[in-house]
Amino acid sequence: VENFGAPEPQASQQDAARPLLGAEAPAFALPLLDGGEMDLARHKGQDIVILDFWATWCSPCRTLMPIISDVARDYRDQNVVLYAVNVEEDEEQVRGFLEGLGLELATPLDKDGAVARLYQTMYLPQTVIVGKDGTVQAVHVGLSADIDRQLREELDVLAAGGSLTQDEEEAAASD
């Protein structure tokens, strides 16, 4: 977790999160910035969940958040839910940041970074897509120039009932 905010993740940084792919998404519940609680288990079997791990000091996070918010909004009617998981910051700081960007997002507060560690988050931003079946279907570390397109392509496959990890699972089984 001490490496948050590194400029551009290299392939080895992307590979760090690869063990999550196809695995059951680690269960967690966190308080929401605006009250209530977010419990990932409640979405299993019904929603595709995007977890966007971020912090206010992270410049790429500032760029990604409006993009990912727009994508999630476009897929809302296909049971796609976005949670902007803030890592290790206080509520006042988080609220001011979101207001400054003009974003209203469901924001779980990972005050001690425990959930970020569960998701092997070493660099911010990290975006994790959890399929309706509760498995991790995609992990994006950092900000790529074509993230909008990538997310839309992945959500199209998942919303149609497909899997993004099936090919990897089949390849691993044949080894």
Side-chain angles (χ1 to χ4, degrees), residues 21-155:
L21 291 175
E24 186 75 19
F28 69 92
L30 288 172
L32 290 165
L33 178 64
D34 292 327
E37 182 181 75
M38 180 270 179
D39 185 348
L40 185 63
R42 290 187 197 141
H43 294 281
K44 189 171 182 177
Q46 57 188 349
D47 298 313
I48 298 164
V49 178
I50 303 170
L51 302 173
D52 180 36
F53 292 90
W54 67 282
T56 61
W57 50 261
C58 167
S59 176
C61 297
R62 178 178 293 275
T63 303
L64 178 62
M65 291 181 80
I67 295 168
I68 203 166
S69 176
D70 288 346
V71 170
R73 185 175 44 252
D74 290 348
Y75 284 83
R76 185 178 33 219
D77 64 343
Q78 296 179 58
N79 290 16
V80 173
V81 179
L82 168 63
Y83 289 103
V85 182
N86 179 266
V87 181
E88 298 181 347
E89 295 182 300
D90 66 65
E91 293 177 30
E92 205 172 294
Q93 191 174 13
V94 172
R95 189 171 276 110
F97 179 84
L98 293 172
E99 287 172 3
L101 286 179
L103 293 173
E104 292 182 24
L105 300 171
T107 306
L109 300 170
D110 186 13
K111 292 181 181 182
D112 62 1
V115 174
R117 285 188 295 279
L118 276 176
Y119 281 82
Q120 301 175 25
T121 305
M122 294 173 50
Y123 301 93
L124 293 178
Q126 177 168 300
T127 306
V128 177
I129 300 177
V130 179
K132 288 182 181 181
D133 64 353
T135 63
V136 174
Q137 292 290 308
V139 178
H140 299 276
V141 179
L143 174 64
S144 65
D146 64 343
I147 190 68
D148 182 271
R149 180 193 56 77
Q150 288 176 345
L151 291 171
R152 289 177 188 280
E153 287 177 0
E154 291 165 349
L155 292 173

Side-chain angles (χ1 to χ4, degrees), residues 154-172:
E154 291 165 349
L155 292 173
D156 285 343
V157 169
L158 294 173
S163 172
L164 301 172
T165 60
Q166 188 173 16
D167 292 340
E168 290 185 23
E169 291 167 8
E170 290 170 0

